[in-house]
Amino acid sequence: MSSVIPFLPLMLGAIAALFLRGWTRNIIMLAAPVVGGLNLMGLEHGVFWSMEFMGYALEPVRIDKLSMMFGYLFHIASLIAVIYALHVKDTVQHVAGLAYAASAVGAVFAGDLLTLFIFWELLALTSVFLVWARRTDRAYSSGVRYLIFQVLSGVLLLAGLLIFAQVNGSLLFNEIGLEHEGIAEVGAWLIFLAFGIKCAFPFMHNWLTDSYPEATPTGTIFLASFTTKVAVYCFARGFAGEEILVWIGITMACFPIFFAVIENDLRRVLAYSLINQIGFMIVGIGIGTALALNGAVAHAFNDVIFKGLLMMTMGAVLHMTGKINGSELGGLYKSMPKTTILCIVGAASISAFPLFSGFVSKSMIMSAAVAEGYDVVWLLLLFAAAGVFHHAGIKIPYFAFFAHDSGIRTTEPPRNMLIAMTIAAVLCVVIGTFPAQTVYALLPWEADYHPYDLTHVLTQLQLLFFSALAFVWLNLRNLYPPELPSTNLDVDWFYRKLIPTFVKRIASAVYATYGQFENAIIAVIKRIIQHSYDTEQDQPKGYFARLWPIETMVVWVAVLLSGYLVVYYI
């Protein structure tokens, strides 16, 4: 095979970025995803570089339509992110970004669980530097919490794969499922939870909303593209058709809406929106039909691009103004008109407007839900679709670029940032307009689907129209939650409020008990001292408290030494 290992071009680009500077580094960084993408085109489906390790067969590189689709996606995403970050002179961000992308590519091409684990951990170690690279106290603390969750996910994956290797005698990464008996079931659930943490399942999602908004403007683009999508790929590979995923996914699609609507930090709004969109993908994987699975991976493909576009526009706003809270922004369309238009394209795409990329993938999942009799799920997905239009399709562009005029006057971001955003915007329109020739051509499963029929188009337009009408009415009536300087807590309330309060009370009780015990011991010691002291004579009482002559003490020393010698020789 003439081609090279899929992740190698990106990893070599990261190593080169560590030592090179200036325009030479920029050229190498741009070339890495381009060469990597061209390398993928030369790969044939199959298993390569197979080997044996401790009696287990390993497949470090396995190529099929599913892994190939994510491989193309990650190279496109890394190219856009590199272009967006060209103005940055920070070596840490460049090296971490490309190494992070290389780890994601290595993970989706891993044919065995051990190789997957290695890249799983590399994803955590490389990505955390994109959070720390902002070099603030909040970013450092958030990065530590992020790393704790990521390492926990890796520990669970390692424990699960060891159990699976012991029970099945194989480490190959194929369909895992949850239908097992005995210790194998424990291993399957450990792997399931490991994937779930990286996928930001409910109650395990806070690492995402905590860390992504604290990363650098350019680092967030990388973060939004890889970690969660690797987890989506792993669920599609290992747990397709597990019904529990349907209900987990619908929960993910719905609950972030309520937090995103009241959130002031616009990048945190997009972080909640990211969980919302992953929910759609998890629902499709849980349904498990060819149409649903195609919809899930197609939506993952599209989400990286349109969510990346929205993250890039908000990163541009942060870069140019130093502000990202909706309460501090507004009126930026006057000085950033190009960024405003690009943001609206991203908003239309994530809201699934016809002729935009979100429409051709989100409708696949919803159609699959109806076809399989998940009527309640379909209704909840409709609610989630309306909600994402509110918080991402309307709120983001409205409060950043329109709403009240904040008085901020700036300029458009650097040219490389505009180029990256334009590429993403063009892809959103091209994919939405010509799905059969673009993303549908890469789909792993055979399924015949035509998004532009009258029913789908009218249903989506009605949903979007009435959602927009609701936003306008609520806004005019002053009922829509205003953008207020605030900090909103969800699951992190447990470790920010409940646990510290609980620990403080326990610590106070322990400290008080220790103080009482210490005082009691001191009182006893004082009584003993007082009892052994003659206050009238002002000297200690008792036989051993007498004042002895020196010769008597010498005799006692001689007696003790003699006794020691006798005991020693006996």
Side-chain angles (χ1 to χ4, degrees):
M1 182 168 144
S2 58
S3 301
V4 300
I5 300 173
F7 76 89
L8 195 57
L10 288 170
M11 190 60 76
L12 291 176
I15 295 172
L18 180 62
F19 299 102
L20 299 176
R21 297 293 183 271
W23 62 269
T24 308
R25 178 165 70 180
N26 289 346
I27 291 175
I28 295 298
M29 288 171 56
L30 289 171
V34 173
V35 172
L38 294 174
N39 175 62
L40 289 186
M41 295 181 182
L43 296 175
E44 299 177 357
H45 289 190
V47 176
F48 304 94
W49 295 285
S50 59
M51 62 184 70
E52 187 171 308
F53 176 73
M54 297 181 66
Y56 295 100
L58 301 183
E59 298 177 355
V61 178
R62 179 178 57 193
I63 301 169
D64 56 17
K65 295 186 71 173
L66 179 60
S67 59
M68 190 67 80
M69 183 172 187
F70 279 87
Y72 284 128
L73 170 62
F74 290 162
H75 281 85
I76 294 171
S78 58
L79 176 62
I80 293 174
V82 165
I83 295 173
Y84 187 80
L86 284 179
H87 66 283
V88 177
K89 305 304 180 185
D90 188 356
T91 300
V92 171
Q93 292 189 60
H94 292 315
V95 174
L98 282 175
Y100 179 37
S103 303
V105 172
V108 297
F109 283 102
D112 61 85
L113 291 170
L114 183 59
T115 304
L116 176 67
F117 168 74
I118 293 171
F119 286 108
W120 199 261
E121 293 299 271
L122 284 175
L123 278 169
L125 295 176
T126 52
S127 58
V128 72
F129 286 99
L130 297 172
V131 181
W132 287 336
R134 199 173 181 186
R135 296 175 174 85
T136 64
D137 291 339
R138 286 171 60 94
Y140 175 76
S141 300
S142 179
V144 171
R145 293 189 293 269
Y146 170 87
L147 193 60
I148 290 172
F149 275 97
Q150 300 304 308
V151 171
L152 173 62
S153 174
V155 170
L156 293 176
L157 177 59
L158 179 60
L161 73 87
L162 290 175
I163 292 173
F164 246 65
Q166 179 66 29
V167 173
N168 300 325
S170 173
L171 282 171
L172 298 183
F173 183 23
N174 298 307
E175 182 180 356
I176 298 173
L178 296 174
E179 299 297 326
H180 299 276
E181 295 181 357
I183 192 66
E185 185 177 9
V186 176
W189 276 103
L190 288 173
I191 296 173
F192 184 89
L193 290 174
F195 294 169
I197 291 175
K198 259 187 167 56
C199 213
F201 274 7
F203 300 104
M204 297 182 282
H205 69 278
N206 200 246
W207 62 266
L208 193 155
T209 57
D210 181 20
S211 59
Y212 284 18
E214 298 302 329
T216 63
T218 55
T220 307
I221 315 307
F222 284 96
L223 290 170
S225 301
F226 300 122
T227 295
T228 53
K229 302 311 177 295
V230 169
V232 168
Y233 161 84
C234 290
F235 273 116
R237 172 77 69 187
F239 295 95
E242 292 293 340
E243 189 174 16
I244 189 175
L245 289 175
V246 175
W247 306 108
I248 293 175
I250 201 63
T251 304
M252 294 176 67
C254 292
F255 89 84
I257 294 171
F258 302 99
F259 291 99
V261 166
I262 64 173
E263 180 57 57
N264 190 26
D265 187 321
L266 297 183
R267 290 207 298 174
R268 188 164 278 109
V269 172
L270 290 176
Y272 279 112
S273 177
L274 179 58
I275 299 173
N276 163 271
Q277 296 301 298
I278 296 169
F280 279 86
M281 305 168 206
I282 295 299
V283 168
I285 294 171
I287 294 172
T289 62
L291 177 61
L293 290 169
N294 277 340
V297 297
H299 201 54
F301 193 101
N302 292 333
D303 180 72
V304 168
I305 297 172
F306 61 62
K307 186 60 60 57
L309 174 56
L310 288 170
M311 285 288 191
M312 283 189 284
T313 58
M314 291 302 100
V317 168
L318 178 61
H319 178 75
M320 298 307 299
T321 68
K323 303 178 185 298
I324 198 59
N325 289 337
S327 59
E328 301 173 330
L329 297 172
L332 289 179
Y333 74 93
K334 299 176 182 178
S335 52
M336 301 178 71
K338 296 177 182 178
T339 306
T340 302
I341 294 172
L342 293 168
C343 181
I344 291 173
V345 173
S349 299
I350 196 173
S351 303
F353 270 88
L355 301 181
F356 291 88
S357 57
F359 178 79
V360 301
S361 54
K362 191 177 292 184
S363 59
M364 296 175 72
I365 300 170
M366 299 178 70
S367 297
V370 172
E372 296 303 309
Y374 288 101
D375 296 337
V376 174
V377 172
W378 180 80
L379 288 172
L380 291 172
L381 288 176
L382 272 183
F383 167 76
V388 74
F389 180 47
H390 266 269
H391 68 254
I394 297 178
K395 178 175 180 173
I396 292 294
Y398 179 72
F399 286 105
F401 299 102
F402 302 101
H404 62 281
D405 192 339
S406 62
I408 298 175
R409 295 296 179 265
T410 181
T411 61
E412 294 285 3
R415 184 174 300 175
N416 63 289
M417 298 176 81
L418 285 173
I419 292 173
M421 290 187 285
T422 302
I423 293 172
V426 169
L427 286 174
C428 287
V429 176
V430 170
I431 292 173
T433 308
F434 306 103
Q437 292 78 24
T438 52
V439 68
Y440 284 7
L442 299 174
L443 293 176
W445 292 272
E446 294 295 331
D448 187 24
Y449 181 75
H450 302 283
Y452 289 106
D453 62 38
L454 188 61
T455 301
H456 292 147
V457 173
L458 286 180
T459 301
Q460 188 64 17
L461 288 177
Q462 289 173 1
L463 177 70
L464 295 171
F465 174 78
F466 283 107
S467 296
L469 186 63
F471 176 84
V472 172
W473 184 82
L474 291 170
N475 209 32
L476 291 175
R477 292 281 184 151
N478 294 321
L479 296 175
Y480 194 84
E483 299 300 289
L484 300 174
S486 59
T487 299
N488 298 316
L489 302 179
D490 53 68
V491 175
D492 53 346
W493 176 83
F494 287 97
Y495 63 80
R496 292 182 187 271
K497 294 292 185 181
L498 180 63
I499 294 178
T501 302
F502 186 68
V503 170
K504 284 180 181 178
R505 290 182 178 178
I506 293 177
S508 298
V510 170
Y511 183 77
T513 303
Y514 174 78
Q516 294 174 357
F517 178 76
E518 182 182 33
N519 292 333
I521 294 297
I522 291 173
V524 170
I525 294 173
K526 285 182 176 179
R527 284 196 297 268
I528 293 173
I529 293 174
Q530 291 174 356
H531 182 72
S532 62
Y533 200 83
D534 189 346
T535 55
E536 295 181 359
Q537 306 259 344
D538 194 23
Q539 64 181 9
K541 296 188 298 184
Y543 178 78
F544 289 101
R546 296 178 184 176
L547 295 176
W548 295 88
I550 294 175
E551 58 271 18
T552 304
M553 298 308 298
V554 171
V555 171
W556 277 110
V557 170
V559 170
L560 290 173
L561 288 174
S562 301
Y564 175 78
L565 291 172
V566 170
V567 172
Y568 177 79
Y569 285 109
I570 290 176

